[in-house]
């Protein structure tokens, strides 16, 4: 599978591709005071900030096995399975 980055001229590529399975902490809204939960799911959308402009607030959306979606903090995510590869 060819990885699409949606890259604009002069910008960095996104760290994850659509369909990658990642695990990480949810992105909490500014000022929200609770412990973020850890989720694992398939990337369905890469949000803003990943190219370093707002890196501390960068996020992506993942679809969980139950069909719901969560917003995860990119800086707190790790790749589990690349898109197009079966998990073991």
């Amino acid at each position: 599978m060819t990885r699409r980055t949606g890259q604009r001229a002069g910008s960095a590529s996104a760290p994850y591709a659509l369909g990658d399975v990642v695990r990480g902490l949810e992105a909490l809204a500014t000022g929200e005071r609770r412990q973020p939960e850890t989720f694992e799911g398939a990337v369905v959308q890469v949000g803003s900030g990943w190219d370093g402009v707002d890196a501390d607030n960068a996020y992506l959306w993942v679809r969980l096995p139950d069909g719901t979606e969560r917003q995860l903090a990119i800086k707190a995510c790790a790749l589990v399975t690349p898109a197009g590869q079966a998990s073991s």
Side-chain angles (χ1 to χ4, degrees):
M1 176 177 172
T2 302
R3 295 172 69 84
R4 296 185 65 201
T5 63
Q7 188 171 341
R8 287 184 243 157
S11 68
S13 62
Y16 302 108
L18 298 180
D20 283 351
V21 176
V22 298
R23 179 182 303 122
L25 295 174
E26 66 184 318
L28 299 178
T30 302
E32 193 168 352
R33 300 187 193 278
R34 65 177 177 85
Q35 192 68 24
E37 294 183 54
T38 300
F39 292 98
E40 182 176 315
V43 175
V44 294
Q45 180 180 343
V46 176
S48 67
W50 55 263
D51 65 356
V53 175
D54 297 319
D56 287 340
N57 299 317
Y59 64 89
L60 49 83
W61 286 94
V62 297
R63 182 163 295 127
L64 307 179
D66 68 3
T68 61
E69 294 182 357
R70 291 289 190 280
Q71 194 177 46
L72 301 186
I74 287 178
K75 67 181 181 179
C77 284
L79 181 65
V80 175
T81 308
Q85 293 185 8
S87 59
S88 48

